[in-house]
Amino acid sequence: MTKTVAVIGGGPAGLMAAEILAQAGQTVTVYEQKPSLGRKFLMAGRGGLNLTHSEEFEKFLPRYGAAEKFMTPLIESFTPQMLRAWADDLGQETFIGTSGRVFPKMFKASPLLRAWLLRLEKLGVQFKLNHHWLGWRENNLIFKYENKEVAVAADAVLLALGGASWPRLGSDGAWTEILQNKKIEIMPLRPANCGFQINWSDIFKNKYAGQPVKSVALLFNGIRVPGEIMITQGGIEGGPVYALSTALRDAIAQYGSAELAVDLRPDMTEEQLTKALQRPRAALSFTNYLRKAISLSSPAIGLLLEQPNRAELGRYSPPQLAALLKSVPLTLTGTSHIERAISTAGGIALSELDNGLMLKKLPGVFAAGEMLDWEAPTGGYLLQGCFATGAAAAHGIINFLN
Ligand SMILES: Cc1cc2nc3c(=O)[nH]c(=O)nc-3n(C[C@H](O)[C@H](O)[C@H](O)COP(=O)(O)OP(=O)(O)OC[C@H]3O[C@@H](n4cnc5c(N)ncnc54)[C@H](O)[C@@H]3O)c2cc1C
């Protein structure tokens, strides 16, 4: 007997579930509040669409931090290799970049999404766009559509509503209240893979906001991440910042601020820097001297001069200056707003879900994707997690309906 399944949320998690459910012969309707599907997925495509990562499971699974145990069986059932084969099957061959990250050869999401939606249509999946889910009334799902309320009955429901970052793309976190009213525990939604706030001086931010500081390394809690950081009006963002963001965010929550160290010349040892700084300064200004002696870029010099004791730096001995250049302290006072974060931490407490990702307190209602309480760094782990939880929820629904 065919059963009806309502998938709410047309992002990667919801669409993956819709595909598996339709292949299993269920009647599937995807409800999406935006006028088109997969908006955040398309945005991810702007950065090349890092679909997953090629590293071994021993390295891959710990990326999910506290949620590793929860994610392990889900990723084992929908592996990075399976994800690559799936993309390939949609005509989007993937490749492994030098960092081990996996991308489609086209480096974007739109051709993949187009082929995917075509496949879903052929499988008979219905799409109801501009349908904003409001919750339940009696046993019906209630949607707002063109200023009217529409009631929908379904044999099973999948919630795949995303997190709360980039709300203009659809995932706005408004679902938290609906589920809390049903006594579902929701861990607070917080920015993940996000930028941080720093109280820059006016001179520094006016000159360098929007500029990168290239080839640096960030150090926090014994972890060192090389890369390029971006100066913003209110702080910093960029790959190495995102990589440390969970630890930095949690430290700020606990202590009110966090001290991050920047190695401005990770390619030189302290001894090599000391030697290079022994070159006589002659009539050069301090900044020109740093530029000439150790090829320090202008934004890097700016960062160094953000130290409260900037007036004394010119009198530092070469070993003192070399030590500072290897570890320039920056005080982070908060995270950037969740609206600008790549992803969201927090969400439906994992203890609320059974093995098939059904909400134990709401039989027949399942959840998947970024709205669950797991987080991961950038590197393809986010999309892999969304696809894998979408697939697991689909299998959970099939078992439930049988
Ligand atoms: C700039 C950027 C770049 C990224 N790059 C990458 C990357 O390269 N690799 C990677 O792994 N990850 C990346 N991500 C993260 C990745 O895009 C997300 O983790 C993923 O899209 C989450 O999938 P999801 O299906 O759980 O939720 P979403 O993609 O957010 O989809 C949820 C859907 O639910 C809909 N919805 C929400 N509330 C309602 C409601 N009440 N009624 C009806 N519909 C509703 C939303 O409109 C949305 O379409 C990036 C994110 C951003 C912002």
Side-chain angles (χ1 to χ4, degrees):
M1 288 262 301
T2 302
K3 300 278 174 69
T4 58
V5 184
V7 172
I8 314 180
L15 295 180
M16 179 52 73
E19 179 175 341
I20 294 169
L21 287 160
Q23 274 163 347
Q26 312 299 344
T27 300
V28 184
T29 307
V30 176
Y31 296 88
E32 165 58 51
Q33 67 177 345
K34 288 287 175 184
S36 63
L37 298 151
R39 290 188 169 208
K40 192 177 273 183
F41 186 61
L42 289 173
M43 174 59 92
R46 285 215 199 157
L49 194 67
N50 181 192
L51 273 176
T52 185
H53 204 288
S54 62
E55 67 197 4
E56 290 108 49
F57 267 11
E58 295 77 67
K59 276 189 165 176
F60 193 106
L61 294 169
R63 307 285 183 192
Y64 294 96
E68 177 183 350
K69 204 165 148 227
F70 171 83
M71 294 300 270
T72 295
L74 311 182
I75 305 273
E76 280 172 352
S77 303
F78 191 88
T79 61
Q81 289 78 2
M82 288 162 81
L83 178 50
R84 292 188 67 187
W86 170 83
D88 207 1
D89 207 37
L90 283 170
Q92 295 302 310
E93 217 184 314
T94 57
F95 75 99
I96 301 175
T98 45
S99 59
R101 294 174 181 219
V102 175
F103 299 90
K105 283 188 171 165
M106 301 275 276
F107 252 125
K108 47 185 176 174
S110 43
L112 179 62
L113 184 62
R114 253 196 316 274
W116 193 9
L117 295 180
L118 211 62
R119 173 186 283 179
L120 292 175
E121 266 174 39
K122 282 191 184 148
L123 283 167
V125 174
Q126 302 267 324
F127 298 110
K128 301 276 184 191
L129 304 177
N130 297 307
H131 277 65
H132 171 64
W133 179 58
L134 297 170
W136 288 271
R137 191 169 307 133
E138 286 144 17
N139 282 330
N140 289 330
L141 296 163
I142 303 296
F143 294 91
K144 190 170 155 209
Y145 173 64
E146 291 183 346
N147 287 327
K148 289 192 295 275
E149 284 190 4
V150 180
V152 171
D155 295 308
V157 177
L158 173 65
L159 304 176
L161 303 163
S165 75
W166 288 71
R168 68 183 171 85
L169 302 177
S171 44
D172 52 17
W175 51 266
T176 50
E177 208 183 318
I178 303 173
L179 293 187
Q180 273 163 339
N181 287 341
K182 293 278 182 190
K183 308 276 181 271
I184 307 288
E185 189 185 4
I186 309 293
M187 307 315 282
L189 302 186
R190 304 174 317 281
N193 294 302
C194 56
F196 287 86
Q197 294 167 3
I198 298 175
N199 293 322
W200 298 129
S201 67
D202 286 343
I203 294 179
F204 180 78
K205 68 180 173 203
N206 290 341
K207 191 159 177 193
Y208 296 114
Q211 287 198 37
V213 192
K214 294 187 175 166
S215 309
V216 296
L218 301 186
L219 295 105
F220 185 70
N221 270 0
I223 303 170
R224 184 182 173 84
V225 189
E228 175 177 315
I229 59 174
M230 180 64 76
I231 306 295
T232 64
Q233 276 290 333
I236 47 169
E237 52 187 37
V241 183
Y242 302 153
L244 292 168
S245 61
T246 300
L248 290 169
R249 182 195 66 214
D250 294 348
I252 294 169
Q254 194 170 356
Y255 305 111
S257 67
E259 193 160 287
L260 179 67
V262 189
D263 180 347
L264 291 176
R265 285 304 307 259
D267 54 332
M268 289 176 85
T269 63
E270 206 170 309
E271 292 69 36
Q272 287 169 327
L273 276 173
T274 304
K275 204 165 158 213
L277 290 164
Q278 262 146 7
R279 175 178 163 166
R281 195 165 132 186
L284 289 173
S285 69
F286 183 55
T287 53
N288 274 340
Y289 171 65
L290 291 174
R291 209 167 286 143
K292 291 238 155 89
I294 56 165
S295 310
L296 212 56
S297 70
S298 178
I301 294 171
L303 263 189
L304 186 72
L305 296 178
E306 277 298 273
Q307 298 310 297
N309 62 344
R310 68 181 72 84
E312 293 160 30
L313 299 184
R315 293 191 290 278
Y316 269 31
S317 67
Q320 272 180 313
L321 198 50
L324 179 62
L325 286 161
K326 293 298 285 176
S327 185
V328 177
L330 293 180
T331 303
L332 312 187
T333 55
T335 57
S336 299
H337 200 276
I338 196 163
E339 287 185 9
R340 295 263 307 160
I342 301 271
S343 59
T344 304
I348 297 176
L350 302 180
S351 57
E352 296 283 358
L353 299 157
D354 72 8
N355 291 340
L357 305 193
M358 184 168 81
L359 289 165
K360 294 176 203 162
K361 290 176 192 145
L362 296 175
V365 180
F366 295 71
E370 215 181 292
M371 70 185 299
L372 307 184
D373 179 26
W374 58 273
E375 63 176 311
T378 57
Y381 311 102
L382 295 165
L383 282 173
Q384 178 71 48
C386 292
F387 285 121
T389 53
H395 292 297
I397 292 173
I398 292 165
N399 287 339
F400 172 79
L401 293 177
N402 285 339

